[in-house]
Amino acid sequence: MAPDTVPAPGARAVLDQAARRRTIAVISHPDAGKSTLTEALALHAAVIARAGAVHGKGSRHGTVSDWMEMERARGISITSAALQFEHHGSVVNLVDTPGHADFSEDTYRVLAAVDAAIMLLDAAKGLEPQTLKLFEVCRHRNLPVLTVINKWDRPGLDALALMDEIESTIGLRPTPLTWPVGIAGDFRGVLDRRTGGYTRFDRTAGGATVAPEDHLTPEQAQALEGEAWTTAVEESDLLAASGADHDQETFLAARTTPVLFASAVQNFGVGRVLDTVVEVGPAPTPRELVTGGARPVEAPFSAVVFKVQAGMDAAHRDRLAYARVCSGVFERGMVVVHATSGRPFHTKYAHAVFGRERTTIETAYPGDVVGLVNAGNLRPGDTLHVGAKVEFPPIPSFAPEHFAVVRARDTSRAKQFRRGIEQLDQEGVVQVLRSDLRGDQAPVLAAVGPMQFEVATYRLEHEFGAKVMLDHLDYGLARRTDASASAALRGVRGVEVLTRSDGEVLALFVDRWRLGTVVKENPDLLLEPLVGARV
Ligand code: GDP
């Protein structure tokens, strides 16, 4: 055994703590109900009998302060990066994937920090573009995915048709754990496919955390629901006959996805989601190393930085890095090694952060997320460790879909401009592409979400003193290519080849149609999709 993998004292305790952890993220398209589900999960776990604390963007503000109160009262720790709570003896770390307008590479990087994902679908919409993009990242990481069909209380697609869509679009075989009784829009409850029992949706139950559920026998269900129950049983039998039953091994191998039906806004089915995460969700496992092999969870402390946030909050003008513990115990005050620079990093200030509020984290175990303050040198993908050198593979860059040329407004600020671009590139705020044709004064910024440009422009001006001009380019997709393609594609209309700062050569295309014709005319060119791209 290599010296750095010798278990630290207390390895047994670390293993026990790691085994209790479930570190997950929700992937969904905006409006599928991610915030509603997240809040409902947190409230469920906290068992706070308070009505109306969940729901809706309008009341989001109120909910936030409710959370902080909960945090004090119940020891739940909330960060803008992760929400931690206990359920049935397990510790769930729900790592936030920012949705909506701030969709960016950060969203993807979160998936490098979790052990499983909940794919949340709107029953009326099925698989939507953002869900698919995020799913591609899960596939790349071989992450187990649990599927939740939300908004079953509203008219939507047929349940079996939804299962077909999942299987044919993403190739994951759905293995429903529950099956809806009543079509979408007439949600009466769910058939528990394991026990055959009926969980009835009780619309009269009040409160955000009182589960609006009654548990009934199949006979009672038949008497109460008649035709709707019969249909559910028949469909469930059909699923069983086609082998669509949950299998832990194929789920962990990311070949099948357990499915649950829910109405997050009405808090129905939410408890079951939580139970399922704890029951079937994977605990942290050894993480692969650059040098080959994997770091056991009971090895001395190591963590991977997956998100860096700078200058966002006027009250705390420092830089925050979020790291996921991969092995060992994190204790506040520890001096760890930043693998990239080889320099020590003091963790005196380790926090759980939510907005302006910070609470101090004292101890964290594999699967947990810590926010590190004064993290000026840390970058997404960096490794922190104690003892002999440990290095995890970098987090892959994702397929950009937005491109813009950036130039300094004032040429006398060229130095500041160059320094700023270099810094943003290293932090992973945007990707930076260059070509001889365009020169160093006018690099191309590439992003997965347009919001990344705003952050870059703002920071170039305010942090580096370089006002810039952005010229949006018409390209909409990128493919990985090589130097020989670069020569072949020179001068082809609607295509441009540039080199990313990590050395990757990217061919940009205005649209899918242009890509199609280029592929047809040059069948031998290397043109591979990048991570996160919809193939
Ligand atoms: P996010 O963008 O994914 O975070 O979605 P939100 O949680 O903000 O929800 C978007 C909208 O859908 C809000 O108006 C919610 O109240 C609503 N919503 C969420 N879950 C459900 C549900 O189960 N049923 C219905 N009918 N509406 C829901």
Side-chain angles (χ1 to χ4, degrees):
M1 202 183 265
D4 57 338
T5 55
V6 172
R12 185 72 248 162
V14 177
L15 278 173
D16 289 346
Q17 289 291 345
R20 293 173 63 207
R21 273 11 187 219
R22 301 289 181 272
T23 303
I24 55 166
V26 178
I27 60 170
S28 68
H29 195 81
D31 272 346
K34 182 162 64 87
S35 319
T36 311
L37 178 72
T38 305
E39 290 166 18
L41 287 172
L43 286 163
H44 237 284
V47 204
I48 283 197
R50 178 192 295 162
V54 194
H55 310 169
K57 294 192 167 99
S59 64
R60 188 80 37 94
H61 217 74
T63 312
V64 167
S65 49
D66 288 347
W67 280 12
M68 294 212 249
E69 246 172 67
M70 278 164 46
E71 183 168 29
R72 281 182 208 114
R74 308 263 163 179
I76 297 173
S77 93
I78 295 155
T79 73
S80 58
L83 180 63
Q84 184 181 72
F85 49 80
E86 287 211 17
H87 183 67
H88 291 175
S90 289
V91 178
V92 179
N93 291 307
L94 186 55
V95 187
D96 191 27
T97 49
H100 309 279
D102 60 353
F103 179 62
S104 68
E105 285 189 72
D106 271 352
T107 314
Y108 286 156
R109 291 187 188 121
V110 162
L111 294 170
V114 298
D115 299 315
I118 294 180
M119 180 167 75
L120 183 68
L121 305 182
D122 180 328
K125 305 215 170 114
L127 289 161
E128 296 180 85
Q130 191 153 314
T131 321
L132 286 172
K133 282 203 269 183
L134 290 162
F135 174 76
E136 278 311 316
V137 182
C138 295
R139 189 204 299 281
H140 185 78
R141 287 210 55 223
N142 225 17
L143 276 186
V145 174
L146 168 69
T147 301
V148 175
I149 311 279
N150 191 30
K151 305 195 186 184
W152 199 256
D153 59 291
R154 281 223 307 238
L157 303 169
D158 171 66
L160 285 173
L162 269 166
M163 298 305 103
D164 283 345
E165 187 191 344
I166 293 171
E167 183 150 15
S168 62
T169 311
I170 61 176
L172 268 192
R173 159 151 261 216
T175 56
L177 298 173
T178 60
W179 195 250
V181 178
I183 57 167
D186 177 28
F187 199 5
R188 304 186 191 190
V190 292
L191 163 68
D192 183 332
R193 297 194 60 233
R194 208 163 26 176
T195 64
Y198 179 38
T199 308
R200 197 174 72 101
F201 184 10
D202 174 7
R203 284 175 180 73
T204 61
T209 59
V210 180
E213 300 174 358
D214 292 330
H215 296 275
L216 305 174
T217 64
E219 294 72 31
Q220 289 169 317
Q222 183 67 58
L224 210 61
E225 308 296 356
E227 186 68 27
W229 175 257
T230 315
T231 307
V233 172
E234 282 170 8
E235 290 181 343
S236 175
D237 289 348
L238 207 68
L239 289 165
S242 69
D245 289 337
H246 173 68
D247 178 86
Q248 187 65 11
E249 203 176 310
T250 54
F251 162 59
L252 293 181
R255 296 207 303 273
T256 59
T257 177
V259 181
L260 296 166
F261 288 79
S263 168
V265 82
Q266 278 158 321
N267 195 26
F268 182 73
V270 172
R272 184 63 190 262
V273 172
L274 212 47
D275 294 348
T276 307
V277 164
V278 166
E279 275 167 35
V280 309
T285 49
R287 195 175 182 96
E288 271 177 45
L289 293 162
V290 175
T291 45
R295 178 117 172 140
V297 290
E298 72 275 24
F301 170 78
S302 69
V304 61
V305 176
F306 65 94
K307 177 173 166 172
V308 176
Q309 219 171 39
M312 290 302 189
D313 183 352
H316 302 282
R317 286 212 73 90
D318 48 11
R319 186 160 297 156
L320 262 171
Y322 295 96
R324 176 217 149 102
V325 180
C326 299
S327 67
V329 188
F330 171 84
E331 270 156 359
R332 192 171 70 86
M334 252 174 136
V335 180
V336 300
V337 182
H338 174 222
T340 317
S341 64
R343 301 239 293 265
F345 181 84
H346 295 261
T347 65
K348 198 159 113 204
Y349 306 102
H351 293 289
V353 181
F354 187 81
R356 280 157 192 277
E357 292 265 321
R358 295 177 177 190
T359 41
T360 302
I361 284 182
E362 295 295 340
T363 313
Y365 294 97
D368 292 345
V369 171
V370 290
L372 301 166
V373 186
N374 295 333
N377 294 321
L378 306 191
R379 310 277 177 261
D382 284 359
T383 304
L384 299 172
H385 64 90
V386 295
K389 183 161 179 173
V390 179
E391 205 166 353
F392 298 115
I395 298 175
S397 299
F398 299 98
E401 294 181 4
H402 302 270
F403 305 90
V405 179
V406 61
R407 287 185 190 83
R409 273 188 194 277
D410 177 352
T411 45
S412 70
R413 313 290 290 173
K415 214 168 88 193
Q416 288 85 342
F417 173 75
R418 240 195 336 264
R419 196 143 41 86
I421 293 286
E422 195 185 320
Q423 175 75 18
L424 298 184
D425 187 13
Q426 283 176 3
E427 276 181 41
V429 173
V430 281
Q431 299 180 25
V432 181
L433 316 180
R434 293 190 173 85
S435 71
D436 294 344
L437 228 57
R438 292 195 178 269
D440 219 28
Q441 317 306 331
V444 172
L445 302 186
V448 305
M451 177 85 172
Q452 289 174 253
F453 292 146
E454 280 173 49
V455 175
T457 310
Y458 182 89
R459 289 192 52 196
L460 283 168
E461 180 176 340
H462 293 90
E463 251 177 70
F464 299 94
K467 276 196 178 175
V468 296
M469 294 178 291
L470 271 193
D471 241 334
H472 290 271
L473 298 172
D474 250 354
Y475 305 117
L477 70 156
R479 286 288 184 268
R480 174 182 298 113
T481 184
D482 55 19
S484 67
S486 163
L489 294 175
R490 185 161 295 225
V492 177
R493 205 170 38 83
V495 187
E496 181 170 348
V497 179
L498 294 127
T499 305
R500 195 163 64 188
S501 48
D502 62 356
E504 203 78 79
V505 184
L506 304 187
L508 313 188
F509 297 85
V510 282
D511 53 28
R512 214 156 281 284
W513 183 82
R514 195 74 203 107
L515 168 66
T517 31
V518 168
V519 169
K520 211 146 94 201
E521 286 163 13
N522 308 271
D524 297 330
L525 284 189
L526 171 79
L527 290 168
E528 275 177 0
L530 292 128
V531 181
R534 284 178 65 196
V535 186

